[in-house]
Amino acid sequence: MQKQTILSRKLRNNLTDAEKHLWYILRAENLGYKFRRQAQIGNYIVDFVCYEKRLIIELDGGQHFESLEDQSRDTWLRSQGFTVLRFWNNEVMENRDEVVQKIIEHLK
């Protein structure tokens, strides 16, 4: 089994509170589209992806502030035809409805 596959399975079983909070809305096609969590795309593992709409959602803690690694990762993902939405963990925890509304806008 590939190292990335093992890592993505481990991440799926250990979601952050913010990821759990958002996954509650995204799962089971609640927004009309299927999302996968902790999915591997190329050499990266993304928090959430809707393949049908080519939409990736990333939730970030403080360690991601102005991260050059995240910027190059997003550039590569965009070059593969994905849109990448990034939200801070505290945005999801404090105002999930607003975050979900932004996601819905990108799904239309």
Side-chain angles (χ1 to χ4, degrees), residues 24-104:
Y24 180 79
I25 296 293
L26 298 178
R27 69 179 178 187
E29 299 184 35
N30 284 329
L31 300 181
Y33 296 94
K34 180 178 180 172
F35 280 85
R36 294 191 58 200
R37 60 190 166 136
Q38 305 301 334
Q40 183 177 344
I41 300 175
N43 292 326
Y44 301 107
I45 296 174
V46 300
D47 291 337
F48 304 102
V49 61
C50 173
Y51 286 106
E52 182 180 352
K53 288 295 193 171
R54 313 271 312 151
L55 178 64
I56 292 171
I57 301 167
E58 288 289 308
L59 302 184
D60 297 330
Q63 74 275 17
H64 291 272
F65 183 69
E66 296 182 1
S67 167
L68 295 177
E69 184 178 321
D70 284 349
Q71 290 174 20
S72 66
R73 176 181 197 259
D74 288 359
T75 299
W76 185 85
L77 290 165
R78 287 185 182 106
S79 78
Q80 302 304 301
F82 288 94
T83 298
V84 180
L85 295 181
R86 285 190 172 275
F87 299 100
W88 293 106
N89 288 337
N90 66 318
E91 281 182 274
V92 174
M93 298 304 289
E94 296 169 12
N95 199 350
R96 182 176 66 181
D97 291 343
E98 186 176 308
V99 169
V100 170
Q101 190 57 45
K102 289 178 185 176
I103 294 167
I104 290 170

